[in-house]
Amino acid sequence: MENRRVHGCLGLVVGVAFALLTTMLLGRATNACDAGVHNAANSFFLLYFFIPALSALLLMGWVLVGAVLGGHPLLHTVALAVTLLGLCWCALSFFWSGVTPTCPDGVPLWWPGSLPDPGF
């Protein structure tokens, strides 16, 4: 029982950490590209809607992968990494601003060329 509790707490911490990192990346991208309404509205959305929703989604992904692959430690770790990064990438792509006058190709100037552009 104690192992499950530790696993659940770790899932919550990792989910919130990934949600915060994804939120910071999305906020900096919308700020760099002058996307959205304005900084106050964008921040309100990110703080009060995006972080809790993404944290809950990541925690559900954590629990689902743990329930399916709990007995295989190496496969479980790889599946968790792929699932959490995939969910963060999908959330980032869904709310990515796209083409703006400041970012004609839809990507901020600081975005590394080695990473694919977010978007579906």
Side-chain angles (χ1 to χ4, degrees):
M1 182 68 171
E2 187 65 30
N3 191 20
R4 289 179 134 183
R5 184 171 297 172
V6 170
H7 187 71
C9 290
L10 184 63
L12 181 65
V13 168
V14 169
V16 169
F18 269 80
L20 288 174
L21 290 172
T22 305
T23 302
M24 286 183 358
L25 183 62
L26 184 61
R28 289 176 190 247
T30 55
N31 191 23
C33 290
D34 284 336
V37 181
H38 50 74
N39 285 338
N42 292 345
S43 298
F44 183 81
F45 165 74
L46 290 173
L47 285 175
Y48 295 109
F49 295 111
F50 189 76
I51 291 175
L54 185 58
S55 296
L57 185 66
L58 291 171
L59 184 60
M60 286 189 296
W62 180 279
V63 169
L64 181 68
V65 169
V68 172
L69 299 172
H72 309 286
L74 183 61
L75 186 61
H76 183 222
T77 304
V78 171
L80 274 177
V82 168
T83 302
L84 295 180
L85 289 173
L87 287 172
C88 287
W89 190 261
C90 288
L92 188 65
S93 296
F94 188 72
F95 291 105
W96 195 258
S97 60
V99 176
T100 61
T102 311
C103 302
D105 56 351
V107 180
L109 298 174
W110 50 261
W111 188 262
S114 60
L115 289 177
D117 302 339
F120 293 115

mmCIF file of all heavy atoms in Angstrom, residues 95-116:
data_model
loop_
_atom_site.group_PDB
_atom_site.id
_atom_site.type_symbol
_atom_site.label_atom_id
_atom_site.label_comp_id
_atom_site.label_asym_id
_atom_site.label_seq_id
_atom_site.Cartn_x
_atom_site.Cartn_y
_atom_site.Cartn_z
ATOM 1 N N PHE A 95 -2.579 24.568 -28.429
ATOM 2 C CA PHE A 95 -2.708 25.983 -28.088
ATOM 3 C C PHE A 95 -1.632 26.855 -28.715
ATOM 4 O O PHE A 95 -1.521 28.027 -28.378
ATOM 5 C CB PHE A 95 -2.692 26.159 -26.561
ATOM 6 C CG PHE A 95 -3.917 25.626 -25.903
ATOM 7 C CD1 PHE A 95 -3.884 24.437 -25.203
ATOM 8 C CD2 PHE A 95 -5.115 26.303 -25.999
ATOM 9 C CE1 PHE A 95 -5.013 23.940 -24.599
ATOM 10 C CE2 PHE A 95 -6.261 25.813 -25.406
ATOM 11 C CZ PHE A 95 -6.210 24.632 -24.702
ATOM 12 N N TRP A 96 -0.829 26.298 -29.617
ATOM 13 C CA TRP A 96 0.212 27.079 -30.295
ATOM 14 C C TRP A 96 -0.458 28.133 -31.142
ATOM 15 O O TRP A 96 -1.471 27.877 -31.793
ATOM 16 C CB TRP A 96 1.056 26.141 -31.141
ATOM 17 C CG TRP A 96 2.346 26.721 -31.603
ATOM 18 C CD1 TRP A 96 2.612 27.206 -32.838
ATOM 19 C CD2 TRP A 96 3.553 26.849 -30.852
ATOM 20 N NE1 TRP A 96 3.907 27.619 -32.910
ATOM 21 C CE2 TRP A 96 4.506 27.426 -31.696
ATOM 22 C CE3 TRP A 96 3.914 26.550 -29.550
ATOM 23 C CZ2 TRP A 96 5.803 27.702 -31.290
ATOM 24 C CZ3 TRP A 96 5.201 26.820 -29.133
ATOM 25 C CH2 TRP A 96 6.123 27.386 -29.999
ATOM 26 N N SER A 97 0.113 29.324 -31.196
ATOM 27 C CA SER A 97 -0.561 30.462 -31.811
ATOM 28 C C SER A 97 -0.568 30.435 -33.330
ATOM 29 O O SER A 97 -1.468 30.969 -33.954
ATOM 30 C CB SER A 97 0.084 31.757 -31.332
ATOM 31 O OG SER A 97 1.448 31.774 -31.698
ATOM 32 N N GLY A 98 0.430 29.866 -33.931
ATOM 33 C CA GLY A 98 0.469 29.826 -35.390
ATOM 34 C C GLY A 98 1.134 31.069 -35.964
ATOM 35 O O GLY A 98 1.963 31.707 -35.329
ATOM 36 N N VAL A 99 0.756 31.445 -37.162
ATOM 37 C CA VAL A 99 1.400 32.535 -37.882
ATOM 38 C C VAL A 99 0.900 33.878 -37.339
ATOM 39 O O VAL A 99 -0.301 34.115 -37.226
ATOM 40 C CB VAL A 99 1.102 32.420 -39.389
ATOM 41 C CG1 VAL A 99 1.683 33.587 -40.155
ATOM 42 C CG2 VAL A 99 1.639 31.103 -39.923
ATOM 43 N N THR A 100 1.833 34.751 -37.001
ATOM 44 C CA THR A 100 1.542 36.126 -36.577
ATOM 45 C C THR A 100 2.493 37.048 -37.329
ATOM 46 O O THR A 100 3.463 36.591 -37.920
ATOM 47 C CB THR A 100 1.742 36.298 -35.051
ATOM 48 O OG1 THR A 100 3.104 36.013 -34.738
ATOM 49 C CG2 THR A 100 0.826 35.391 -34.257
ATOM 50 N N PRO A 101 2.231 38.363 -37.315
ATOM 51 C CA PRO A 101 3.166 39.274 -37.999
ATOM 52 C C PRO A 101 4.574 39.231 -37.419
ATOM 53 O O PRO A 101 5.559 39.379 -38.142
ATOM 54 C CB PRO A 101 2.542 40.652 -37.779
ATOM 55 C CG PRO A 101 1.097 40.391 -37.547
ATOM 56 C CD PRO A 101 1.027 39.049 -36.875
ATOM 57 N N THR A 102 4.702 39.001 -36.121
ATOM 58 C CA THR A 102 6.022 38.933 -35.505
ATOM 59 C C THR A 102 6.735 37.630 -35.849
ATOM 60 O O THR A 102 7.954 37.600 -35.977
ATOM 61 C CB THR A 102 5.898 39.050 -33.974
ATOM 62 O OG1 THR A 102 5.060 40.159 -33.678
ATOM 63 C CG2 THR A 102 7.228 39.247 -33.328
ATOM 64 N N CYS A 103 5.972 36.549 -35.982
ATOM 65 C CA CYS A 103 6.527 35.235 -36.321
ATOM 66 C C CYS A 103 5.870 34.746 -37.607
ATOM 67 O O CYS A 103 4.876 34.011 -37.569
ATOM 68 C CB CYS A 103 6.271 34.235 -35.195
ATOM 69 S SG CYS A 103 6.943 34.724 -33.612
ATOM 70 N N PRO A 104 6.386 35.137 -38.769
ATOM 71 C CA PRO A 104 5.724 34.782 -40.026
ATOM 72 C C PRO A 104 5.657 33.293 -40.312
ATOM 73 O O PRO A 104 4.743 32.832 -40.984
ATOM 74 C CB PRO A 104 6.539 35.504 -41.094
ATOM 75 C CG PRO A 104 7.791 35.941 -40.446
ATOM 76 C CD PRO A 104 7.578 35.926 -38.972
ATOM 77 N N ASP A 105 6.611 32.519 -39.783
ATOM 78 C CA ASP A 105 6.545 31.074 -39.992
ATOM 79 C C ASP A 105 5.860 30.360 -38.831
ATOM 80 O O ASP A 105 5.770 29.137 -38.818
ATOM 81 C CB ASP A 105 7.936 30.489 -40.235
ATOM 82 C CG ASP A 105 8.901 30.812 -39.114
ATOM 83 O OD1 ASP A 105 8.552 31.619 -38.234
ATOM 84 O OD2 ASP A 105 10.000 30.246 -39.109
ATOM 85 N N GLY A 106 5.361 31.116 -37.844
ATOM 86 C CA GLY A 106 4.635 30.541 -36.715
ATOM 87 C C GLY A 106 5.503 30.049 -35.587
ATOM 88 O O GLY A 106 5.020 29.475 -34.629
ATOM 89 N N VAL A 107 6.810 30.259 -35.675
ATOM 90 C CA VAL A 107 7.751 29.778 -34.664
ATOM 91 C C VAL A 107 8.583 30.967 -34.183
ATOM 92 O O VAL A 107 9.076 31.742 -35.003
ATOM 93 C CB VAL A 107 8.668 28.683 -35.258
ATOM 94 C CG1 VAL A 107 9.639 28.181 -34.221
ATOM 95 C CG2 VAL A 107 7.840 27.545 -35.805
ATOM 96 N N PRO A 108 8.760 31.135 -32.870
ATOM 97 C CA PRO A 108 9.618 32.225 -32.382
ATOM 98 C C PRO A 108 11.057 32.066 -32.866
ATOM 99 O O PRO A 108 11.507 30.964 -33.192
ATOM 100 C CB PRO A 108 9.556 32.090 -30.854
ATOM 101 C CG PRO A 108 8.406 31.205 -30.567
ATOM 102 C CD PRO A 108 8.165 30.380 -31.779
ATOM 103 N N LEU A 109 11.773 33.165 -32.884
ATOM 104 C CA LEU A 109 13.155 33.129 -33.373
ATOM 105 C C LEU A 109 14.055 32.267 -32.496
ATOM 106 O O LEU A 109 15.032 31.702 -32.979
ATOM 107 C CB LEU A 109 13.715 34.553 -33.447
ATOM 108 C CG LEU A 109 12.989 35.492 -34.410
ATOM 109 C CD1 LEU A 109 13.552 36.899 -34.283
ATOM 110 C CD2 LEU A 109 13.130 34.976 -35.831
ATOM 111 N N TRP A 110 13.762 32.142 -31.219
ATOM 112 C CA TRP A 110 14.606 31.374 -30.308
ATOM 113 C C TRP A 110 14.328 29.875 -30.358
ATOM 114 O O TRP A 110 15.003 29.103 -29.697
ATOM 115 C CB TRP A 110 14.452 31.875 -28.869
ATOM 116 C CG TRP A 110 13.042 32.013 -28.402
ATOM 117 C CD1 TRP A 110 12.326 33.167 -28.356
ATOM 118 C CD2 TRP A 110 12.180 30.989 -27.908
ATOM 119 N NE1 TRP A 110 11.065 32.926 -27.869
ATOM 120 C CE2 TRP A 110 10.946 31.591 -27.584
ATOM 121 C CE3 TRP A 110 12.314 29.619 -27.711
ATOM 122 C CZ2 TRP A 110 9.868 30.872 -27.078
ATOM 123 C CZ3 TRP A 110 11.235 28.910 -27.203
ATOM 124 C CH2 TRP A 110 10.030 29.537 -26.895
ATOM 125 N N TRP A 111 13.340 29.436 -31.113
ATOM 126 C CA TRP A 111 13.009 28.009 -31.176
ATOM 127 C C TRP A 111 14.144 27.250 -31.854
ATOM 128 O O TRP A 111 14.565 27.596 -32.955
ATOM 129 C CB TRP A 111 11.709 27.811 -31.945
ATOM 130 C CG TRP A 111 11.205 26.407 -31.879
ATOM 131 C CD1 TRP A 111 11.374 25.440 -32.822
ATOM 132 C CD2 TRP A 111 10.471 25.815 -30.823
ATOM 133 N NE1 TRP A 111 10.792 24.287 -32.403
ATOM 134 C CE2 TRP A 111 10.222 24.474 -31.176
ATOM 135 C CE3 TRP A 111 9.996 26.265 -29.597
ATOM 136 C CZ2 TRP A 111 9.528 23.592 -30.365
ATOM 137 C CZ3 TRP A 111 9.303 25.398 -28.790
ATOM 138 C CH2 TRP A 111 9.067 24.073 -29.176
ATOM 139 N N PRO A 112 14.661 26.182 -31.221
ATOM 140 C CA PRO A 112 15.781 25.442 -31.847
ATOM 141 C C PRO A 112 15.353 24.742 -33.130
ATOM 142 O O PRO A 112 14.277 24.148 -33.199
ATOM 143 C CB PRO A 112 16.176 24.422 -30.773
ATOM 144 C CG PRO A 112 15.239 24.565 -29.645
ATOM 145 C CD PRO A 112 14.287 25.667 -29.934
ATOM 146 N N GLY A 113 16.188 24.810 -34.111
ATOM 147 C CA GLY A 113 15.879 24.202 -35.393
ATOM 148 C C GLY A 113 15.895 22.678 -35.351
ATOM 149 O O GLY A 113 15.328 22.029 -36.219
ATOM 150 N N SER A 114 16.542 22.106 -34.336
ATOM 151 C CA SER A 114 16.614 20.657 -34.249
ATOM 152 C C SER A 114 15.301 20.041 -33.765
ATOM 153 O O SER A 114 15.059 18.852 -33.954
ATOM 154 C CB SER A 114 17.746 20.235 -33.312
ATOM 155 O OG SER A 114 17.534 20.762 -32.020
ATOM 156 N N LEU A 115 14.451 20.835 -33.111
ATOM 157 C CA LEU A 115 13.153 20.333 -32.654
ATOM 158 C C LEU A 115 12.082 20.621 -33.711
ATOM 159 O O LEU A 115 12.094 21.701 -34.321
ATOM 160 C CB LEU A 115 12.748 21.029 -31.342
ATOM 161 C CG LEU A 115 13.536 20.660 -30.110
ATOM 162 C CD1 LEU A 115 13.058 21.494 -28.930
ATOM 163 C CD2 LEU A 115 13.382 19.194 -29.791
ATOM 164 N N PRO A 116 11.163 19.711 -33.914
ATOM 165 C CA PRO A 116 10.080 19.993 -34.856
ATOM 166 C C PRO A 116 9.157 21.079 -34.315
ATOM 167 O O PRO A 116 9.024 21.252 -33.113
ATOM 168 C CB PRO A 116 9.350 18.652 -34.978
ATOM 169 C CG PRO A 116 9.735 17.881 -33.770
ATOM 170 C CD PRO A 116 11.071 18.370 -33.330
#
